[in-house]
Structure formats: C-alpha cells, structure tokens
Amino acid sequence: MAGAKPGVHALQLKPVSVHEALKKGGKFIKWEEDTSQNVPDRQITLNVDADGFFLYWSVSPNQELEILDISLIRDTRTGKYAKQPKQKTLDLIPSRDENDNLLTIVYGTDLVNVTFYNFVALELNVAKLWVDQLFEMATNKLSQNASRTTYLRKAHTKLTLQAIDGKIPLKNIYKMFSDRKRVDYALDKKHVTAINLEEFTWDFFTGFLDKACGRPELQTILEESGSRNKPFITLDQFTTFLNTKQRDPRLNEVLYPPLKKEQVRQIMENYESPSHLDRDQISLKAFSNYLAGEENNIVPPEKLDLMDDMNQPLSNYFINSSHNTYLTVGQLTGMSSVEMYRQVLLTGCRCIELDCWKGRLPDEEPYITHGFTMTTEISFKEVLEAIAESAFKTSNYPVILSFENHVDSPTQQAKMAEYCKTIFGDALLINPLEKFPLVPEQPLPSPQDLLGKILVKNKKKPDLSVKSLEEAGLKELEPESEEEDTEETAAEMNKPYSDEGTAYREVIATKEMSTLVNYIQPVKFKSFNDAAKKKRVDSSNYMPQLFWNIGCQMVALNFQTPDLPMQLNMGVFEYNGRSGYLLKPEVMRRTDRQFDPFTDSIVDGIVANAFRITVISGQFLSERKVGVIVEVDMFGLPGDAKKRAKTKMSNGNSMDPVWKNEKFFFPQVILPSLASVRISAYEENGRFIGHRVLPVSAIRPGFHYICLKNELNQPLMLPSLLVLTEVWDYIPTEHQKYADALADPI
C-alpha cells in the first residue's frame, strides 16, 4: 500500500490470528547460553494461548508454567541468525537440517537489556513457522493498541495459565491487584489459598472486578446521558450520546455522517442481552462494556495504519533517526553493541549511525566505536550483517546509513565499500534511479520509490559531488557534532592520509566509498547553535519537537536512553504504520510560502484546534497501594497557549482512583497535525507508571479508556485511565459570536 487516498480509509490492519500449530504446541529442546549455571537441556512443549497473549511452557509437572508476554517479544530468529547451541544439544535432535531447527526469542522492555530464550525444534520445518508466527503476533499494531476489555481478558488468561494442579493460587491475584482487603472482599473466600480453575471463568473474573471496584463514575456518565436513576438508557438516548459526546466535530459530515438508529442498534447487539435489545435499551453493564470495547478506542485503528501519502519527495518526511546507534550507555564509557543495531531497526528507526575507524594490524578490519573515548569496539562487518538481517523486518521503507567516516586508509575504505555491496546485495542503492537523476531542480525520490533499499550517507569525494544534492538533500540534526566549527579549507580537503587520529574531522571519502553515495550526503549546517554539544556525555536527549517544528527531517536521538524525548519519539513514530516516515504538514512542504514556527496566531490555510481533557478515573495503575498523579503535556508549536497540567494526588489509592473536576483546557493548538498530547501517570514518590502519546489530529472525542504503555511504548496489561476528550476547531474570541450565530441561526 502506497499510502492514503482521498476519502474514507480502507483499513489494512488485521487482528491477531493464532496458527493452529502454535495452539496445539510444538516439541523443543530448551538450552541455556550461560553454561556457568549448569542448567541441563530440557525437552519442553511450547504453546500459545488461543488469543495470542502469551507463549508458555512447562519445566516439570505440577509446577507453574514459564510465561512470556508476546507483546514484549522484540525479535525471533532462526538459521544462522539464531544463537548456536553446543554440539551435544544438537545431538539430541533426531532429524535436523543444519541450523533450520533453531529458534531464538529476543525479549525485554528496553533496547539494551534484552534476554535470549533459545530452543531447538525436534522436527524439521517447525522452527521457521514459530519464528514467523510469533514475530507477526508480537508486532501486530492492533494488539499493541488493544481495548481495555482485551487487556482484562489478557489478565484473566494469565491467571488461568498460572494454575497449579487445577487451582489458581490467591497469591497471584494479590500480586496483580494492589489492595488485598478488597481482593478478599470481592472473592468472598475466607481461609482459602486457591480457587478452582473451573470456577474461575471470564464471568467470575468480571464479577470479581465489579465487586472490587465499584466504578460510580460509570453510573454518573449513564445518568448524564439520560438514565434518570434507571440502570439503562434507551436506543434514542444512546444514539444521541454517540452523535454528540462521542462524535468528532472535525469530521466531514458527507464522508462521515452521524450514526442512524439502525447502526447504533448494531453496536448495541455486540454488548447487550436479547431482553434489553427487545426493549430498545442498553444497560449499565453493556454501556460500560461498550466504553471499554474495541469500537471505542481513543485512537481509531486506521490512524495506526499506513495513512500518509508515501509518494512525496524524501525530504518531505520526518524520518525516525538514531544517534551513535552502537552505544548502550554513555558517550565516554561503556559497551558498544552489534545487537543495538538490530534493536533500533526493529523499533522502526530508518536512519542509523556508524562511526567507522581504521582497523589495526594484522587484520586491518575497520571497526565502530566512539572515537577517543573508553567505549568498546565492534566489528564493522558484523554491524553490516546485523543491519542486513533486521533492516526491513518492521518496515519496508528505506534505511539510511549515516557514516561518520574516520577510516584514513584507502585500502580499508575500499574494504568497507566491498562489504556494503556483498552483504546488502541488491538492497544497496548504488546508482540513482532512472526517473530521479542527480541533476539540478530534480526532486528526490519518494519512500515508495525506494522501498526495500539501503542508502549510504557519507562524505563524497569533491569531484564526484553534485551541487544540487546540497539544495535538495536531507538535513540531519544530531545531539552533538564531532566536526570543527570552522569551514574545511581546500588544503584540509587535500590533506594526505596519516596515522594520526581524526576524531574532530571526518576523512575524505575514497572513490570506492563515494560511488555508494547518491541522494544523501552530509552538508555543514550552520543555522543552529548547540551550546551544550561539547559538554553532554551522558547520552541524554534533547526534545525532538523543537526541531520537528522547524522542519528538520532527521532528528537523531540516543535510543539507549528511554527519557522523555525518546518516549515522545517512540510515541509519535508509532503512527503511519510504524513505517519510520511521517509526512510533514502541508504548510511545511509548500515552496511558495515560508512557515513561521514561532507564530502565536492562526496560520493561513490551517484550521487550529482547541482541546480539553477531563481525567475521570484510573484503573489498576500500580501493584502497590500508593497515591497516583496524572500529568497531561501538550507538545506542539511554541505559540500554543498551554503546555502542561496535572491532577491532584489520589489518596493512597492506585487501584481505582476517581478525580473530580480535573479538566485541562488547551485553548489553541495552532498546527494540530504536528502536535501530540502525552498523558502519563506517576506514583506519589515520582516513580513512572506508564504513559500514552496521542496525535491531536487522531484523538477521538468522547469518553474513552487510555491504556498506558511503558517507556519503550510497549503496552502495559492493566493500567488505564478513563478520560473525556473534547476537540473542536479553534475560533478566535473576536469571531466567536459570528460562529454561534451560524451554528444556531434561528
């Protein structure tokens, strides 16, 4: 799919479907990479539950299963990319074909500290199926953004999988929910330590939740919708509710007309019993289930799909970009890692950095490190092999290799160029596309034109450069630059290679490396003054929004640091199919006008928004019985009227806190297509619970649950917030009376 077309978007995303072979289970040998623990190889049966929530296996009878949350699987590998077991492990396999029996699962909640689970299939043609199916489920965009009901089903499934000898230990329920007294009250189980598995049905679980958490705020919403103290509202009242509270006033009424009663009744049929349907009523329970259901997610599913037009010139997109991709900690010390290239690419990042240095005798193999620091070195060739493996697993759109080339050896640069050609093969774009020659005034090719291609960004030998590239090419802003601030003189450009270090200036590209450079090359950019660039050594990030606001295509961040800027970057690039490319707002792409990012007034041709959010309640925000606070941040242009707000602290209640009159109004969002709202929750001691980043242009108005995510933008199972969001077209105060007259002309 090349991107959005005019009119209503046809959703391409599909829900998770679990292959029968995974539900039935497969026989594997589980082996440990760390031999110091003397853990023996064990034959196990791998299974996936019917909903695709968990991968699990048993070590021995009558013991708890080992369970992996599939949404936290980072990667799956087989063949030469899997971890290689000892020969004694392979000897246990009756039928095998080289590496085709191997299965490695990469798992974790951050990019640096991942865990490898290693298995060997007992039968041929099994491991590949599990690799493909598990990765497809783990990266499913709908399951990564599921409804609150789905996550409650996930919690129920986990508790049932933890049953031992047909009983669910109460300790597991206590661990999942923060208030033990309320758990005991809701279960009404005295002096017992477990619940029979047959008794613990979905209806039993939802009844337990209803009793543990009274949820009076849901009754209030129903009453405000017209129930008049009755436990239901009518079809007419529910229709009015959907077409007023839940409808987006920014929608075109021709393409998206208000719902008719027949359509509303179809929605009711998904949640209500026949007895209420016969009376054209929706009960409080069914109404509550609708609010928590898939049809009422805070972001419509099409916004997670590939929505942007992907046929614009490459420079018209924001590109998800990484700085010093190989680092795992700070800029001065710590380990460099080949694995980081895989992990960063798997997030959807499309521009990665390679700091290349001249290899030493006797091998003279180029390596990657942060020059003149105490960071470790990794093999240049191994990095390219990792890139080739992972470049297009998450996104098929082009990958840019940003070389910082300090290899002052023509022989080794030639070796680097040859490695690029042999390892990447046809994926490496060497010659410009026929339709997009390197001539002045010629637009760059689009992401769609470059599908599945790897582009090299490197300094180009002067006589091979094309001036038009400097005019049409991409600008990149990185956290710190190792180039000197002065212009390189002609004498410096022609300085012969030497054995001296080149930490403060990249070397001149040889002919071999220059031939790999086409549409993108670094150009010295002097419009910004980063005063801290020589002082920051801790791999912290600057706020990318500041640079998106002024049109920077590649804002390169330290992916190993999950700070607020990185969380924002992860959240923003989750959209448009997690392709790694986001089309800039139209006002930034126009050549006939200049956009002022510091404006505090309405921009011609842009409909500004007003946004209001009411934080109503929280659900299962922490496993600890603590107070909780919710923060709301608006990231947009400097001229937007308000930036941050926060609720009062809940009174020692993290299980089901309810806030009153916590309304936060953002009266003017000048450029909604470039603005995002971040809703985050913290314990009273400041400990981060979870957050969610929502584009203003994608937010559905109305009552919705916001299911929270961790720092890596992976979904949390239980923590959620019930909010009321309101978004409408901004109208200046001086024009409000005319707008009111048009809305109500009689």
Side-chain angles (χ1 to χ4, degrees):
M1 179 181 176
K5 298 291 188 294
V8 179
H9 177 76
L11 186 66
Q12 303 294 309
L13 302 179
K14 304 296 181 185
V16 164
S17 176
V18 183
H19 195 284
E20 285 299 321
L22 275 66
K23 288 189 283 188
K24 182 179 178 182
K27 301 292 185 181
F28 289 82
I29 298 290
K30 185 177 186 297
W31 62 276
E32 302 295 333
E33 190 176 9
D34 183 4
T35 58
S36 65
Q37 302 298 318
N38 294 320
V39 178
D41 296 340
R42 296 163 292 177
Q43 182 172 325
I44 60 159
T45 300
L46 284 181
N47 288 90
V48 172
D49 66 275
D51 293 306
F53 295 138
F54 300 103
L55 172 71
Y56 59 93
W57 64 91
S58 60
V59 176
S60 60
N62 299 323
Q63 285 191 356
E64 282 195 14
L65 298 173
E66 293 194 36
I67 301 173
L68 297 185
D69 186 334
I70 289 178
S71 69
L72 302 183
I73 291 178
R74 299 284 308 137
D75 197 11
T76 56
R77 300 168 189 170
T78 190
K80 65 179 182 179
Y81 300 120
K83 295 284 187 178
Q84 304 297 310
K86 300 290 186 182
Q87 186 61 44
K88 66 176 184 178
T89 301
L90 294 176
D91 290 341
L92 299 173
I93 310 303
S95 57
R96 56 187 172 89
D97 182 10
E98 295 184 359
N99 296 326
D100 290 345
N101 292 67
L102 304 182
L103 166 62
T104 292
I105 295 171
V106 188
Y107 188 83
T109 57
D110 69 70
L111 301 184
V112 177
N113 301 301
V114 293
T115 301
F116 297 90
Y117 292 89
N118 300 303
F119 308 89
V120 184
L122 295 184
E123 299 179 3
L124 293 173
N125 305 317
V126 170
K128 180 66 164 58
L129 173 68
W130 281 77
V131 162
D132 293 343
Q133 292 294 317
L134 286 174
F135 188 78
E136 185 176 320
M137 288 189 288
T139 56
N140 184 283
K141 298 174 183 65
L142 294 181
S143 68
Q144 291 279 331
N145 296 274
S147 68
R148 180 171 186 266
T149 295
T150 298
Y151 289 125
L152 291 179
R153 286 193 175 276
K154 185 175 182 177
H156 175 256
T157 299
K158 184 174 183 178
L159 290 171
T160 59
L161 289 175
Q162 291 174 328
I164 301 175
D165 197 21
K167 293 182 180 294
I168 298 173
L170 285 189
K171 66 176 184 179
N172 293 336
I173 302 178
Y174 293 143
K175 184 178 180 181
M176 187 173 285
F177 302 102
S178 61
D179 194 322
R180 179 166 181 159
K181 288 184 178 180
R182 281 207 266 172
V183 169
D184 287 337
Y185 165 75
L187 291 176
D188 195 23
K189 299 288 182 182
K190 297 181 179 179
H191 310 297
V192 298
T193 59
I195 301 174
N196 290 329
L197 183 58
E198 296 83 1
E199 183 183 353
F200 198 75
T201 62
W202 170 246
D203 287 340
F204 179 95
F205 183 62
T206 55
F208 154 73
L209 295 178
D210 290 342
K211 194 172 182 181
C213 305
R215 305 301 306 279
E217 71 275 21
L218 297 177
Q219 178 67 48
T220 300
I221 297 172
L222 194 74
E223 290 176 359
E224 291 174 350
S225 302
S227 70
R228 297 182 180 179
N229 295 322
K230 296 177 181 178
F232 62 85
I233 56 176
T234 66
L235 171 61
D236 287 342
Q237 290 168 331
F238 190 45
T239 302
T240 300
F241 172 80
L242 294 180
N243 285 330
T244 54
K245 284 292 186 183
Q246 305 298 101
R247 178 175 170 78
D248 192 338
R250 300 168 296 179
L251 291 177
N252 183 304
E253 290 202 5
V254 175
L255 295 176
Y256 301 91
L259 295 174
K260 299 178 180 179
K261 285 185 181 180
E262 296 79 12
Q263 295 170 299
V264 174
R265 185 175 175 82
Q266 289 178 351
I267 295 174
M268 290 170 58
E269 289 172 355
N270 294 329
Y271 303 97
E272 191 52 272
S273 64
S275 60
H276 278 90
L277 288 172
D278 289 343
R279 296 192 293 270
D280 282 344
Q281 297 172 351
I282 182 167
S283 64
L284 173 61
K285 181 178 181 180
F287 181 78
S288 301
N289 289 340
Y290 159 76
L291 291 179
E294 296 290 345
E295 293 167 298
N296 193 47
N297 281 347
I298 184 70
V299 171
E302 58 267 20
K303 296 295 184 180
L304 301 167
D305 208 348
L306 191 66
M307 286 283 293
D308 289 346
D309 177 5
M310 303 302 284
N311 293 292
Q312 298 277 334
L314 201 61
S315 53
N316 281 358
Y317 297 84
F318 297 118
I319 303 174
N320 196 357
S321 303
S322 163
H323 170 252
N324 286 355
T325 309
Y326 48 89
L327 292 181
T328 60
V329 194
Q331 303 290 311
L332 297 183
T333 62
M335 299 291 291
S336 300
S337 167
V338 173
E339 181 64 31
M340 280 299 294
Y341 283 91
R342 296 187 180 94
Q343 293 303 317
V344 169
L345 287 167
L346 289 166
T347 68
C349 180
R350 297 291 85 188
C351 179
I352 54 179
E353 185 177 24
L354 299 86
D355 288 0
C356 307
W357 295 82
K358 183 175 68 174
R360 306 175 186 86
L361 294 172
D363 296 331
E364 295 192 83
E365 285 289 332
Y367 62 88
I368 289 175
T369 191
H370 203 202
F372 294 109
T373 68
M374 297 179 68
T375 56
T376 60
E377 302 167 1
I378 53 177
S379 163
F380 173 80
K381 183 180 180 182
E382 289 181 13
V383 166
L384 294 195
E385 290 171 341
I387 293 170
E389 173 195 351
S390 302
F392 303 110
K393 293 190 75 170
T394 302
S395 169
N396 288 323
Y397 286 95
V399 170
I400 299 167
L401 306 186
S402 180
F403 279 80
E404 191 173 290
N405 191 346
H406 303 285
V407 179
D408 50 358
S409 162
T411 302
Q412 291 192 32
Q413 283 206 38
K415 182 181 288 189
M416 290 166 58
E418 186 60 27
Y419 282 156
C420 288
K421 293 176 182 178
T422 56
I423 293 173
F424 297 142
D426 292 340
L428 181 66
L429 185 70
I430 298 176
N431 299 314
L433 301 180
E434 185 177 347
K435 293 182 179 179
F436 299 92
L438 294 177
V439 296
E441 308 302 325
Q442 171 66 49
L444 289 168
S446 70
Q448 189 67 28
D449 294 319
L450 297 168
L451 210 63
K453 291 297 183 182
I454 294 174
L455 286 74
V456 169
K457 178 173 81 72
N458 190 85
K459 283 195 171 182
K460 197 173 178 75
K461 199 169 183 179
D463 60 341
L464 296 178
S465 295
V466 178
K467 185 178 180 182
S468 62
L469 279 179
E470 297 189 8
E471 299 169 352
L474 302 185
K475 304 182 186 74
E476 179 177 16
L477 181 68
E478 298 183 347
E480 59 178 320
S481 172
E482 292 181 349
E483 295 182 354
E484 294 180 327
D485 293 333
T486 58
E487 289 285 344
E488 290 176 316
T489 64
E492 288 175 318
M493 294 288 287
N494 294 313
K495 184 178 179 179
Y497 296 106
S498 71
D499 292 330
E500 297 175 3
T502 53
Y504 299 101
R505 183 175 65 84
E506 291 183 64
V507 299
I508 307 306
T510 62
K511 179 180 179 181
E512 290 83 358
M513 282 299 295
S514 292
T515 57
L516 304 185
V517 180
N518 38 67
Y519 294 114
I520 307 172
Q521 62 174 295
V523 177
K524 190 175 287 293
F525 190 60
K526 290 184 171 294
S527 295
F528 303 124
N529 179 20
D530 183 1
K533 68 181 179 180
K534 298 296 184 185
K535 299 178 182 178
R536 186 170 61 252
V537 297
D538 61 353
S539 290
S540 60
N541 288 301
Y542 48 65
M543 193 59 68
Q545 186 72 44
L546 303 174
F547 304 100
W548 293 331
N549 287 347
I550 53 179
C552 288
Q553 293 97 338
M554 292 184 283
V555 184
L557 300 184
N558 296 299
F559 272 59
Q560 75 272 27
T561 307
D563 52 11
L564 175 56
M566 192 66 239
Q567 292 172 30
L568 178 64
N569 189 79
M570 287 278 195
V572 166
F573 278 104
E574 177 178 22
Y575 299 92
N576 197 36
R578 205 181 298 154
S579 63
Y581 287 81
L582 295 174
L583 187 63
K584 293 180 184 179
E586 191 266 346
V587 69
M588 287 185 169
R589 308 194 310 266
R590 293 180 59 172
T591 58
D592 60 340
R593 61 186 297 181
Q594 190 168 5
F595 171 65
D596 177 12
F598 300 101
T599 182
D600 58 1
S601 59
I602 294 177
V603 179
D604 288 343
I606 302 296
V607 179
N609 283 173
F611 175 73
R612 180 163 53 222
I613 182 170
T614 304
V615 180
I616 300 171
S617 62
Q619 297 76 42
F620 314 122
L621 294 176
S622 173
E623 297 172 353
R624 286 169 285 277
K625 192 176 180 180
V626 294
V628 175
I629 193 169
V630 176
E631 292 186 357
V632 181
D633 293 276
M634 177 68 71
F635 295 97
L637 297 180
D640 291 343
K642 189 176 181 180
K643 300 300 181 186
R644 169 171 288 186
K646 60 182 178 181
T647 66
K648 297 180 179 67
M649 184 75 67
S650 70
N651 187 22
N653 180 7
S654 64
M655 192 166 178
D656 61 346
V658 176
W659 288 276
K660 294 183 179 180
N661 299 317
E662 296 284 6
K663 297 182 179 181
F664 307 122
F665 183 40
F666 300 85
Q668 179 179 272
V669 182
I670 298 171
L671 190 55
S673 59
L674 195 62
S676 297
V677 175
R678 177 179 181 262
I679 299 96
S680 53
Y682 299 85
E683 292 182 358
E684 59 191 15
N685 58 6
R687 178 179 175 269
F688 176 78
I689 295 173
H691 77 133
R692 188 75 186 272
V693 175
L694 304 168
V696 171
S697 59
I699 294 175
R700 276 176 166 164
F703 293 95
H704 301 281
Y705 287 96
I706 297 177
C707 299
L708 301 183
K709 299 192 174 190
N710 64 16
E711 294 97 328
L712 197 57
N713 209 43
Q714 297 167 316
L716 300 173
M717 186 165 62
L718 283 176
S720 66
L721 298 168
L722 178 62
V723 301
L724 169 62
T725 54
E726 299 167 272
V727 191
W728 62 93
D729 293 341
Y730 168 77
I731 300 173
T733 304
E734 61 270 22
H735 298 155
Q736 186 63 53
K737 63 179 181 179
Y738 302 110
D740 293 341
L742 289 171
D744 188 13
I746 299 177

